[in-house]
Amino acid sequence: MDLALSAAVCWACYILLNREVGRRVPGAQGSAAAAAVSGLLYLPVGAVVLWHHPPTAGALGAALVAGVLSSAVPFVADLLALRRVPSHHFGVWMSVNPVFAALIGWVVLGERMTGAAWVAVGVIVGANAVVAAGSGGGKGGEGG
């Protein structure tokens, strides 16, 4: 439960901080700056790992593609969306990600989720929908 609460706090911080960056920094410069800071913080760890386990050219290419598709594209999309969408609506949209992940896992990888796992996903999406509905869902443009 502590990890779930920590994850929820981190997502809330991500949404609110990304919205603020979107307000203050033009274009995608905010995401680029955040990626640069993250890269600098991770550089020592990455250097040690690469020293002990030198990658192949194929692995480096795959890592580059995965990094762009899993980080750069979504972060820029989130930044641009948070400029236009109230953060409570964005939070509901983000809560749908586990549904997409489960469906893609089922269709592409043949994975099956238990009934309890689907109930948990439904509870998350439902709770976010209730919060969005109760927080003045019709009031658009929280400064965006």
Side-chain angles (χ1 to χ4, degrees):
M1 184 66 168
D2 292 338
L3 293 177
L5 184 57
S6 297
V9 169
C10 288
W11 270 113
C13 290
Y14 169 79
I15 292 169
L16 295 174
L17 289 171
N18 210 356
R19 181 166 187 80
E20 193 60 30
V21 167
R23 283 185 188 153
R24 294 179 183 217
V25 182
Q29 294 172 357
S31 288
V37 169
S38 296
L40 287 175
L41 292 173
Y42 187 72
L43 193 59
V45 174
V48 169
V49 169
L50 291 176
W51 180 265
H52 291 292
H53 305 284
T56 64
L60 285 175
L64 177 66
V65 169
V68 169
L69 293 178
S70 67
S71 296
V73 171
F75 290 158
V76 170
D78 290 351
L79 178 79
L80 297 176
L82 279 165
R83 288 184 177 153
R84 293 168 182 83
V85 178
S87 56
H88 55 275
H89 289 286
F90 185 82
V92 171
W93 178 250
M94 293 300 289
S95 75
V96 177
N97 284 343
V99 176
F100 291 145
L103 291 174
I104 290 169
W106 174 53
V107 171
V108 175
L109 302 174
E111 294 181 352
R112 303 265 192 265
M113 286 182 32
T114 65
W118 279 112
V119 169
V121 168
V123 167
I124 292 168
V125 173
N128 278 310
V130 167
V131 168
S135 64
K139 295 188 287 186
E142 296 173 353

